[in-house]
Amino acid sequence: MEHIDCVVIGAGVVGLAIARELAASGREVVILEEENAFGTHTSSRNSEVMHAGISYPAGTWKARLCRPGNTMLARYCAEHGIAHQRPGKLLLAVDAEEEDKLDLYLSQARASGVDDLRPVSQGELREIEPALTGRKALFSPSTGIIDAHGLMLSLLGEAQQHGAALALCSPVMAGRATSGGIELEIGGAQAMRVRASLVINAAGLRAADIAASIDGIARQAVPRVHYAVGHYFTLRGPSPFKHLVYPVARSSWQRVHVTLDLAGQCKFGPDLQWRDQVDYRFDETRAADFYRGVRRYYPALADGDLVPGYTGIRPRLAGPDEPLTLSNGDFCFQTAREHGVSGLINLLGIESPGLTSCLAIARQVRLLAQSAD
């Protein structure tokens, strides 16, 4: 049986960032990916937004990692020639009832170390985004957009330069904790077994399933993951917006975001729909809710202007009937203290802002791995 120092399961943006971080620290790293390419799921089916860390409760992993992650990611992109922009984001209050909520966003952002938000009056809003209908906004200059594929390609390249290897079409079928390390059964065309001193389970949508398949893990420590599907519609024609626009959260309306890609294409989403399995089918009946939500702040949207785009899936620890709490709404890092298997680190519930936080997450995993050695 081949022995490997470190196995990273999952070649999404977080797994690749971790592989790069560990390989650069001198560890032998093999990345196992069940698909035939890297980053085919959550990492490539998202808004490609570099979040500022505004809406995450202070003290949570999301708040602690998003803000430094934004800074680290912007610096990395500049140093490595990764396409990115900072158009900024408007947190928009459409009516008087929503204006008070802007103060909550402002105080929560400050508690998490985000100190660059500034208020935007109705008059200024008309000047900078004349197509918008709204009463007031907060502007976040740190919010940006990024070429996620280019980022992953760069992370993989650096990991490989430090000696890491990527094995595609190599699904992890099961595992077993032993005194000599963690034995993994790997499927695919050339099924094999390997033993690793350190296993980082960064498998995204499959992370909980893989954790549960490892013999020796405390089953009660593995939470159920729920598949939150988000639809994105693109706007036909040129974008009327120069900034990202995020309406204030309100349960009585479909909260439809405006995001832009690096080519300037405007898209709306994501919404929230629950499915029992990984299923990327596009439900075009969602269009009615999108038109209703978008027209609250962009009344010029004409019938037929929304074109079906794509769907993405977020692995959430809170299900459709569960309120979000500080535990089930946060990133989850599990070590032997939580699940009982030495040498195994599980990353569960890694959704937004996972892309923004990927380098900060990788640093945190390296520290966890060092403390476990």
Side-chain angles (χ1 to χ4, degrees):
M1 182 182 301
E2 184 176 356
H3 187 276
I4 300 171
D5 176 27
C6 175
V7 166
V8 176
I9 305 173
V13 67
V14 171
L16 293 174
I18 293 169
R20 166 187 172 270
E21 181 83 13
L22 293 176
S25 71
R27 303 200 72 143
E28 175 199 22
V29 178
V30 173
I31 312 162
L32 299 178
E33 170 56 51
E34 69 176 3
E35 304 293 351
N36 61 3
F38 60 83
T40 61
H41 289 284
T42 307
S43 297
S44 60
R45 291 174 169 268
N46 58 70
S47 303
E48 294 188 301
V49 172
M50 296 167 58
H51 292 285
I54 297 167
S55 58
Y56 313 115
T60 62
W61 280 116
K62 288 184 177 182
R64 292 165 61 187
L65 297 176
C66 184
R67 183 59 173 169
N70 179 293
T71 302
M72 295 167 71
L73 189 57
R75 184 185 306 120
Y76 183 89
C77 288
E79 293 174 350
H80 293 79
I82 310 300
H84 68 294
Q85 298 173 9
R86 285 196 189 271
K89 176 173 71 177
L90 290 165
L91 278 162
L92 180 68
V94 176
D95 56 33
E97 182 182 342
E98 295 174 352
E99 287 189 58
D100 292 339
K101 293 189 177 181
L102 293 181
D103 293 333
L104 296 177
Y105 280 111
L106 187 59
S107 60
Q108 186 162 271
R110 287 173 175 168
S112 298
V114 182
D115 56 6
D116 60 354
L117 296 184
R118 69 171 182 85
V120 177
S121 67
Q122 189 173 42
E124 184 183 357
L125 195 59
R126 290 196 193 101
E127 291 180 8
I128 64 176
E129 288 290 4
L132 280 181
T133 294
R135 294 176 61 95
K136 194 176 178 181
L138 291 173
F139 180 65
S140 166
S142 299
T143 302
I145 51 179
I146 186 174
D147 174 9
H149 180 80
L151 171 63
M152 289 189 283
L153 195 61
S154 179
L155 293 172
L156 173 60
E158 281 203 289
Q160 291 174 327
Q161 288 173 11
H162 289 290
L166 171 63
L168 298 173
C169 302
S170 301
V172 173
M173 311 304 292
R176 183 169 68 95
T178 73
S179 58
I182 301 170
E183 295 180 2
L184 298 175
E185 296 181 16
I186 304 170
Q190 296 182 331
M192 61 183 300
R193 295 171 68 196
V194 300
R195 180 182 295 133
S197 300
L198 175 66
V199 173
I200 311 297
N201 176 11
L205 299 176
R206 284 204 61 222
D209 291 338
I210 288 174
S213 75
I214 297 177
D215 187 19
I217 201 168
R219 291 294 184 268
Q220 67 273 16
V222 182
R224 180 185 176 190
V225 169
H226 306 267
Y227 297 130
V229 178
H231 291 74
Y232 293 87
F233 282 84
T234 58
L235 178 66
R236 193 187 305 275
S239 173
F241 309 112
K242 297 178 182 178
H243 306 88
L244 282 66
V245 181
Y246 280 42
V248 166
R250 189 170 175 178
S251 59
S252 58
W253 292 93
Q254 175 68 57
R255 188 190 185 206
V256 182
H257 302 161
V258 173
T259 59
L260 306 170
D261 64 22
L262 291 167
Q265 174 71 57
C266 174
K267 55 190 175 184
F268 300 98
D271 62 349
L272 178 61
Q273 188 182 57
W274 300 95
R275 293 181 183 170
D276 294 331
Q277 58 188 351
V278 176
D279 179 357
Y280 292 113
R281 287 179 299 170
F282 198 98
D283 181 1
E284 295 192 27
T285 66
R286 307 294 285 186
D289 284 341
F290 271 74
Y291 276 107
R292 179 170 172 259
V294 173
R295 282 172 174 157
R296 291 190 66 237
Y297 59 84
Y298 178 44
L301 181 69
D303 289 343
D305 277 356
L306 294 183
V307 180
Y310 60 95
T311 61
I313 300 178
R314 292 154 281 180
R316 289 200 163 173
L317 302 183
D321 300 319
E322 301 174 73
L324 284 175
T325 66
L326 292 180
S327 58
N328 67 22
D330 199 9
F331 295 155
C332 177
F333 299 93
Q334 287 188 342
T335 62
R337 184 174 62 180
E338 290 78 31
H339 54 59
V341 175
S342 179
L344 172 66
I345 300 176
N346 288 325
L347 279 66
L348 304 168
I350 307 297
E351 52 158 339
S352 181
L355 172 61
T356 305
S357 308
C358 66
L359 297 176
I361 290 173
R363 181 177 62 185
Q364 179 61 33
V365 169
R366 175 175 56 79
L367 293 174
L368 289 173
Q370 289 173 348
S371 64
D373 287 344

